[in-house]
Amino acid sequence: MSLVRAETRRLFRRRFTSVILSGVLLIMAAIIVGTFLSNKQVTDSEVAAAKAQAAQDYQQAVQTAERDKAQCLAAPGTPDAANWPANCDEMWTPTQDEFDYTWYMAETFDLRSEYANMITLLAVLLASAAFLIGASFVGSEWNSGGMMNLLLWRPKRLQVLGTKLAVVLGWFTGLSVLLGAVWTGAFLLIAETRGTTAKMTSGVWQSFGLTGLRGLALVVVAGALGFALASLGRHTGMALGALVGLGALQIGVYIMAGLSGAKYPDAWLVPMWGFVWMYKEYVVEDIDSCNYSSEGGCTPDTFTMTWQTAGIGMAVVTAVVVGAALWSMRRRDIS
Amino acid sequence: MTPVLEISGLRKTYRSRKGVRNALDGFDMVVEAGQVHGFLGPNGSGKTTTLRTLLGLIKPNGGRMAILGREVPQHLPEVAGQVGAIVESPQFFGNFSAELTLSLLADAGGVNRSRVPAVLDQVGLRDRSKERVKTYSLGMKQRLAVASALLKEPKLLILDEPANGLDPGGIREMRTLMRDLSDSGMTVLLSSHILGEIQLICDSVTIISAGRRVTSGSVAEVLAQHTSGAVRVRLETGVDLLDAATTLREAGAQVTLENDYFTVANATNPALITKVLAQRGVYVSELTPVSADLEDVFLELTGTAPVAGQNRQVDESSISGAKNGWGQ
Ligand SMILES: Nc1ncnc2c1ncn2[C@@H]1O[C@H](COP(=O)(O)OP(=O)(O)OP(=O)(O)O)[C@@H](O)[C@H]1O
Ligand SMILES: [Mg+2]
């Protein structure tokens, strides 16, 4: 227990921790204020007006398109033919959803449709902070020789490293839950004053809750990876280096996947899997393929990336890296 | 009474692409309770390696060690609370103050934080204890390290070159501190290159060379075992010293001329000196063995005495000092 207390004090006495956490709070505040200022509540009559305007524009576009088509069909054989495509069926015909009524009114914050993005934003922000703080917390201990001093007092190496990791992750979990609550409160307020909370059924809340939990898992995984990488390399820079390395590798892999004709190059990207983890699934298409059907024409082959797969991948990578860090702590000499 | 510290047959091999290095090659050491024990050896002889191994920081390749009667590293967690240690040029996280550094260690080790100001005062850092360690001088960092070792009120204090970077006053303070600690019943193991210091404060010593023990015992014993083999020769007044010296040199003695006497370095049988000189009609008025000091013993045993015109390399030391006596 005394070790937990010591590590907690160490964590919060570090300037790096306070700088990063202040940064997180500032960014959060900026996003909240920005969203508040750039949205506006709309009245029912404004909505009705926007809908009417959208319908009108749609009708107009349909008429224009029909007239153009007629001209196109009449064009062959006249000097006008050059202005029209050979196959007039290919010409654009407007559809209803190309005239969304929300574009015809002031920006308004719809909690139901926009909050999932906000959860993801917060999760990514906190995950970055957890990675950096986790890495620097143990990295600078190794680098400065503090780890050696500590081991003279507590020779059980795994206990020492494990406690440090648990303390970082524990505090980050608590902090994420707290900030998540603040975040939700803020956006609920924004929705009520500068937007709408319409159609917020308990099912929607539940789905937000689950997204939040997946976000929390992302934060914990990022913290654990930063910590374990820095401990493996015995330097904070090792974790950052690994990140840069992964970035470079990703670009390489993406290009190679494209060149070698892999079917779904997008599925080779780690950030894509992060996206899938937060948004549950993503369907990638193989644009070169064609499954012909009489009514739909060509439909491409698809591959559905699911959050379950993303979760398993994340768990395996985390287990391997953290396991390696613990193993190395146990086995390697300390100098 | 069981010794506070026992090491036998300790081995540590460093492997690298450049080859294999036996840093410790069957090293033995015993430290009795209540003593100040000096741990001496040339650079790279394995002192720090021994202490690191003892403290569980590196894994040995063989041998056994026991602290306070408990086998380590297996039982290290049980005795760690009673062993205060500093290992070669200790480093601390630079952005914390001395006070915070020590109070974190106290927390981690379950020691009352109220001891922190006391030890900081003891090592003379009280007035600077709120400043960041990064801003400390070498000697101040060393003092902080000593403070951290004292914080536990250990039964065994292990200090690897504690005098490194200390000013003369600091060295003297360290000397009195160690005497006081040892008087209060603490056992101190001290590695140092300042042999005068060791001779002043240590009850016993172990000398290591190339990863093996070359001698050990109380300071008096070690000095007695290794008389320098040199004798001081004084002649009747008015006799030409140079002449006598030349005579002896011809007979194979290593003679060093001084102002009114000369010394013969390799006089294993001093009677021969009187005999040789008497044959020339020169009579000896004084013939005293020159007592060796720790430095002489050290240089002899480790074979690291400088030789004119040669640059000795760090790994050139010997296990048994070469002795070439004359006159036996
Ligand atoms: N991490 C390491 N890897 C390889 N060799 C090492 C390592 N640490 C020490 N050694 C070697 O082990 C030998 C003993 O080193 P050690 O540090 O114990 O010497 P020392 O007696 O403390 O010397 P000094 O008086 O200079 O402090 C040296 O030859 C050194 O080069
Ligand atoms: Mg050393």
Side-chain angles (χ1 to χ4, degrees), chain B residues 149-205:
Chain B
L150 292 176
L151 192 58
K152 288 189 224 182
E153 297 185 275
K155 286 199 178 129
L156 171 63
L157 187 60
I158 295 176
L159 303 171
D160 192 4
E161 298 189 35
N164 185 17
L166 289 190
D167 53 19
I171 293 180
R172 182 177 286 190
E173 279 166 30
M174 183 75 76
R175 189 194 306 155
T176 27
L177 178 68
M178 264 172 253
R179 271 265 79 93
D180 293 349
L181 292 175
S182 129
D183 289 346
S184 72
M186 200 183 287
T187 310
V188 182
L189 175 60
L190 174 69
S191 115
S192 177
H193 292 299
I194 311 176
L195 296 182
E197 199 58 28
I198 294 281
Q199 202 167 352
L200 278 176
I201 55 179
C202 289
D203 304 301
S204 52
V205 293

Side-chain angles (χ1 to χ4, degrees), chain A residues 115-143:
Chain A
Y115 190 55
N117 291 337
M118 291 303 167
I119 297 177
T120 305
L121 195 61
L122 181 66
V124 169
L125 187 63
L126 286 174
S128 316
F131 186 88
L132 290 177
I133 290 179
S136 130
F137 183 56
V138 72
S140 66
E141 275 283 280
W142 276 117
N143 194 27

Side-chain angles (χ1 to χ4, degrees), chain B:
Chain B
M1 206 169 137
T2 56
V4 168
L5 175 62
E6 263 180 299
I7 295 176
S8 64
L10 193 62
R11 287 176 188 287
K12 174 69 189 179
T13 310
Y14 287 112
R15 281 167 210 286
S16 68
R17 263 164 285 146
K18 297 259 158 59
V20 176
R21 174 177 299 284
N22 289 316
L24 291 174
D25 197 7
F27 176 69
D28 307 299
M29 175 153 80
V30 178
V31 178
E32 300 291 343
Q35 288 192 335
V36 179
H37 191 96
F39 189 16
L40 317 176
N43 293 143
S45 55
K47 299 181 296 298
T48 303
T49 305
T50 305
L51 300 182
R52 279 187 196 285
T53 313
L54 198 59
L55 295 165
L57 297 176
I58 58 185
K59 289 207 166 49
N61 298 97
R64 53 172 293 277
M65 304 174 285
I67 295 178
L68 298 163
R70 311 282 298 173
E71 293 275 324
V72 291
Q74 300 88 300
H75 298 287
L76 191 60
E78 294 151 47
V79 290
Q82 298 165 46
V83 182
I86 66 172
V87 183
E88 208 169 61
S89 49
Q91 299 289 321
F92 298 93
F93 181 59
N95 286 323
F96 284 170
S97 68
E99 195 179 39
L100 179 58
T101 304
L102 292 189
S103 92
L104 286 174
L105 283 178
D107 263 2
V111 170
N112 197 334
R113 265 191 240 167
S114 63
R115 265 190 63 71
V116 171
V119 289
L120 282 170
D121 184 51
Q122 203 170 1
V123 298
L125 283 179
R126 185 189 55 211
D127 299 337
R128 303 286 298 266
S129 66
K130 297 222 165 21
E131 288 172 34
R132 288 193 293 166
V133 173
K134 199 155 68 175
T135 66
Y136 282 10
S137 72
L138 173 64
M140 287 161 72
K141 282 185 196 142
Q142 198 69 29
R143 285 165 189 257
L144 175 57
V146 175
S148 80
L150 292 176
L151 192 58
K152 288 189 224 182
E153 297 185 275
K155 286 199 178 129
L156 171 63
L157 187 60
I158 295 176
L159 303 171
D160 192 4
E161 298 189 35
N164 185 17
L166 289 190
D167 53 19
I171 293 180
R172 182 177 286 190
E173 279 166 30
M174 183 75 76
R175 189 194 306 155
T176 27
L177 178 68
M178 264 172 253
R179 271 265 79 93
D180 293 349
L181 292 175
S182 129
D183 289 346
S184 72
M186 200 183 287
T187 310
V188 182
L189 175 60
L190 174 69
S191 115
S192 177
H193 292 299
I194 311 176
L195 296 182
E197 199 58 28
I198 294 281
Q199 202 167 352
L200 278 176
I201 55 179
C202 289
D203 304 301
S204 52
V205 293
T206 296
I207 299 182
I208 182 175
S209 183
R212 288 191 211 161
R213 175 166 74 180
V214 288
T215 195
S216 68
S218 73
V219 174
E221 273 168 22
V222 168
L223 291 179
Q225 278 167 21
H226 300 275
T227 49
S228 64
V231 289
R232 182 181 317 133
V233 183
R234 240 182 256 277
L235 304 177
E236 290 171 307
T237 41
V239 178
D240 185 9
L241 280 182
L242 195 59
D243 219 28
T246 317
T247 313
L248 283 172
R249 282 198 184 117
E250 276 163 9
Q254 290 170 12
V255 181
T256 319
L257 271 176
E258 302 288 346
N259 209 356
D260 56 345
Y261 66 92
F262 58 84
T263 51
V264 179
N266 52 349
T268 343
N269 182 4
L272 209 59
I273 296 173
T274 38
K275 191 175 161 198
V276 169
L277 291 178
Q279 279 167 357
R280 293 288 183 99
V282 177
Y283 297 98
V284 172
S285 70
E286 184 193 326
L287 191 68
T288 35
V290 177
S291 64
D293 64 8
L294 206 48
E295 185 172 292
D296 299 326
V297 176
F298 180 91
L299 293 178
E300 184 195 337
L301 287 177
T302 58
T304 53
V307 177
Q310 280 182 27
N311 297 319
R312 186 181 62 84
Q313 302 303 303
V314 279
D315 285 334
E316 291 171 16
S317 55
S318 65
I319 300 296
S320 55
K323 270 203 231 167
N324 33 5
W326 164 76
Q328 267 187 322

